[in-house]
């Protein structure tokens, strides 16, 4: 099993990785800036649920398929990019509707939809599995027992670090949402910005290599 020293070192590394700008924390910031801090928290829970899938994939060796099969890797990231482009279209459409009606509050999609967005955003990014496949085993030692159980333990620690960092990002986004709700045309601006962010993330996922 994991020693205290290894667990603390891994948790500290995970916190630093969570703080570094990336698609997931940008996604949380965007959702909370549009719909408030609660939306960012729920989106984070969806992303962490997706991390459960990636952790299990590494523990079971399934992630190696994406490393060895370019076709499987390309298909999954294409699905992820298409989903992000769909979210971009929804954001642009919402911004256009608000512009026609003279602004107002953003139409809230519901917490269940935001939770699903977090799951799909994370699960359809094969790079997360490849990252876990490269990162988690570095902290495992076969002499300490089952490597699969160690991977699961590390995955849980990574999820905890993600919750700590992304909840903070959600609170920051909530402050932005309050500001945009007060500013004339703020909701129109934030929806258009969100659309650009989603489109950019889709292109980044689609055209970057392993």
């Amino acid at each position: 099993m994991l020693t205290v020293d290894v667990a603390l070192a891994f948790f500290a590394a995970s916190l630093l990785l969570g703080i570094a700008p990336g698609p997931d924390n940008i996604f949380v910031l965007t959702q909370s800036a549009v719909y408030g801090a609660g939306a960012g928290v729920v989106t984070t829970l969806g992303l962490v649920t997706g991390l459960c899938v990636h952790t299990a994939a590494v523990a079971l060796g399934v992630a190696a398929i994406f490393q060895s099969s370019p076709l499987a890797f390309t298909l999954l990231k294409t699905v992820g990019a298409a989903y992000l482009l769909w979210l971009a279209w929804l954001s642009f459409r919402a911004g256009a509707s608000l512009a026609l009606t003279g602004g107002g509050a953003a139409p809230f999609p519901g917490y269940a939809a935001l939770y699903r967005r977090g799951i799909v955003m994370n699960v359809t990014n094969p790079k997360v599995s490849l990252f876990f496949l490269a990162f988690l085993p570095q902290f495992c030692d076969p002499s300490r027992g089952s490597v699969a159980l160690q991977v699961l333990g590390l995955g849980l620690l990574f999820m905890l670090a993600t919750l700590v960092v992304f909840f903070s990002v959600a609170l920051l986004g909530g402050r932005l949402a309050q500001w945009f709700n007060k500013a004339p045309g703020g909701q129109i601006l934030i929806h258009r910005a969100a659309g650009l962010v989603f489109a950019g993330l889709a292109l980044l996922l689609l055209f970057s290599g392993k």
Side-chain angles (χ1 to χ4, degrees):
M1 299 302 292
L2 298 175
T3 64
V4 174
D5 290 343
V6 170
L8 290 176
F10 179 82
F11 186 72
S14 299
L15 285 175
L16 291 175
L17 288 170
I19 294 171
D24 284 351
N25 50 24
I26 292 175
F27 188 69
V28 171
L29 180 63
T30 302
Q31 295 296 282
S32 54
V34 174
Y35 303 114
V41 168
V42 173
T43 301
T44 297
L45 294 176
L47 289 168
V48 170
T49 302
L51 289 177
C52 294
V53 176
H54 291 294
T55 300
V58 173
L60 297 173
V62 177
I65 296 175
F66 297 111
Q67 189 174 40
S68 60
S69 173
L71 178 60
F73 180 86
T74 301
L75 286 176
L76 188 58
K77 76 174 186 177
T78 299
V79 171
Y83 181 73
L84 285 168
L85 288 174
W86 180 70
L87 292 181
W89 178 77
L90 290 179
S91 295
F92 286 130
R93 187 181 67 174
S97 297
L98 291 174
L100 290 175
T101 58
F108 185 59
Y111 287 117
L114 292 171
Y115 179 70
R116 288 194 299 270
R117 287 183 184 184
I119 295 175
V120 176
M121 166 72 179
N122 195 271
V123 170
T124 57
N125 186 353
K127 293 184 179 181
V128 179
S129 282
L130 295 182
F131 167 74
F132 269 26
L133 189 61
F135 184 56
L136 301 189
Q138 296 182 40
F139 294 84
C140 296
D141 185 349
S143 67
R144 294 198 298 264
S146 170
V147 172
L149 289 178
Q150 291 180 58
V151 166
L152 291 176
L154 292 170
L156 290 174
L157 286 174
F158 192 89
M159 293 173 210
L160 178 60
T162 299
L163 289 173
V164 171
V165 174
F166 285 15
F167 280 178
S168 300
V169 172
L171 293 176
L172 173 61
R175 292 295 184 94
L176 292 176
Q178 293 176 1
W179 186 85
F180 279 114
N181 283 328
K182 292 178 181 178
Q187 279 293 322
I188 298 173
L189 176 62
I190 193 61
H191 272 91
R192 289 174 176 172
L196 290 174
V197 168
F198 292 147
L201 291 175
L203 294 176
L204 181 65
L205 177 61
L206 191 59
F207 292 108
S208 60
K210 288 188 179 181

